[in-house]
C-alpha cells in the first residue's frame, strides 16, 4: 500500500473527563529529526508527553509515565492504521483529576492521534531512484527533453571527452520509461551505469 507523510504539521484537541489531550503531528525524515521535533513540541508543564514516530522500518514510542502500553503503542497504531510514514505524533495530556483506566487511556491517546491524522493534509511518498548515465554531446538535447517528461531531477552533470555524465533522481516507477525514451531518442547511444539494485 502506498504510504503518505504529512504535507504540514497538524494538531487536534480532545477533552475526556476533564483531562485535555492535544495531538501534534509533524513530518520527519529520520530519527534525528524525530527527536529534535519531539524536543520542540515537548510541553514542560503538561502531565504527560506521550509519542510515537515511524520512519520506514524504524519506529519508537513512549508512554511517558502512563501505564505501559496505554499511550505510545496506541499512537503508533494510529500512525500505521492511517497509512502514514516519516512522521512523529506527540499527544500532550493535562490530567483533569479523574482516572480514565487503561482502556480509557488507550482510547484517548489512540483516538486523539487518529483524529489528528485523519484531518491532516497528506503528501504521498514517492519511492525515488538514482541513475547515472553517459550521453554523447549530440544527444544532450534529447536527454534533457526526456528528463522533463519523467519528472527526473539532475543532481550532477560532468563533461568528459565522450560527452556528459549525469546523475539523476526520479520516481522509481518512471525508470523504465526514461530508459525507453532515451533508447528511442538517441538510437541507444546513452549508456547507463548499474543502479543500486544491480539493474543495468
Amino acid at each position: 500500500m502506498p504510504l503518505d507523510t504529512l504535507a504540514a504539521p497538524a494538531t487536534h484537541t480532545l477533552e475526556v473527563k476533564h483531562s485535555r489531550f492535544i495531538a501534534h503531528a509533524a513530518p520527519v525524515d529520520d530519527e534525528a529529526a524525530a527527536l529534535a521535533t519531539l524536543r520542540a513540541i515537548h510541553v514542560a508543564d503538561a502531565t504527560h508527553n506521550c509519542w510515537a514516530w515511524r520512519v520506514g522500518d524504524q519506529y519508537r514510542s513512549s508512554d511517558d509515565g502512563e501505564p505501559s502500553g496505554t499511550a505510545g503503542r496506541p499512537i503508533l497504531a494510529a500512525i500505521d492504521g492511517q497509512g502514514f510514514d516519516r512522521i512523529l505524533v506527540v499527544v500532550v495530556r493535562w490530567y483533569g483529576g479523574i482516572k480514565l483506566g487503561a482502556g480509557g487511556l488507550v482510547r484517548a491517546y489512540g483516538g486523539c492521534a487518529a483524529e489528528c491524522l485523519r484531518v491532516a493534509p497528506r503528501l504521498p511518498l514517492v519511492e525515488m531512484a538514482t541513475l547515472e548515465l553517459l550521453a554523447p554531446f549530440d544527444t544532450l538535447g534529447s536527454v534533457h527533453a526526456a528528463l522533463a517528461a519523467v519528472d527526473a531531477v539532475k543532481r550532477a552533470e560532468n563533461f568528459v571527452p565522450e560527452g556528459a555524465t549525469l546523475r539523476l533522481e526520479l520516481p522509481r516507477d518512471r525508470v523504465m520509461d526514461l530508459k525507453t525514451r532515451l533508447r528511442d531518442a538517441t538510437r541507444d547511444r546513452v549508456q547507463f551505469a548499474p543502479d543500486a539494485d544491480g539493474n543495468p
Side-chain angles (χ1 to χ4, degrees):
M1 174 175 86
L3 298 173
D4 294 339
T5 189
L6 290 172
T11 61
H12 178 71
T13 303
L14 175 70
E15 191 160 311
V16 181
K17 294 183 180 176
H18 306 299
S19 279
R20 189 157 54 108
F21 297 83
I22 301 180
H24 301 269
V28 294
D29 287 327
D30 52 32
E31 180 176 6
L35 296 177
T37 305
L38 177 60
R39 284 192 295 273
I41 292 173
H42 188 274
V43 179
D45 69 352
T47 316
H48 302 281
N49 287 265
C50 303
W51 52 266
W53 57 262
R54 175 176 289 286
V55 178
D57 293 335
Q58 293 186 300
Y59 59 90
R60 284 185 58 198
S61 64
S62 168
D63 297 314
D64 190 35
E66 293 282 30
S68 179
T70 61
R73 278 202 301 244
I75 296 169
L76 183 61
I79 291 172
D80 293 341
Q82 299 270 351
F84 278 98
D85 191 6
R86 297 189 198 168
I87 70 165
L88 162 76
V89 178
V90 181
V91 180
V92 182
R93 178 191 185 192
W94 287 267
Y95 180 56
I98 300 173
K99 290 183 180 292
L100 303 184
L105 290 173
V106 168
R107 286 190 295 277
Y109 280 104
C112 191
E115 185 60 17
C116 179
L117 295 176
R118 191 185 70 76
V119 299
R122 300 175 83 100
L123 180 67
L125 284 171
V126 178
E127 188 180 359
M128 302 299 283
T130 301
L131 287 180
E132 294 189 9
L133 59 84
L134 171 63
F137 289 114
D138 63 343
T139 67
L140 289 178
S142 298
V143 168
H144 285 101
L147 300 187
V150 298
D151 299 322
V153 177
K154 186 169 59 176
R155 295 297 184 200
E157 182 174 32
N158 294 300
F159 295 100
V160 295
E162 303 84 2
T165 60
L166 284 76
R167 187 160 50 83
L168 313 171
E169 188 176 67
L170 70 159
R172 184 169 292 282
D173 62 1
R174 308 295 299 273
V175 170
M176 289 312 299
D177 185 13
L178 175 64
K179 290 183 175 182
T180 300
R181 286 172 183 270
L182 291 179
R183 185 188 66 224
D184 294 348
T186 68
R187 296 189 306 284
D188 207 16
R189 293 169 60 217
V190 171
Q191 299 172 28
F192 289 91
D195 66 21
D197 297 329
N199 298 317

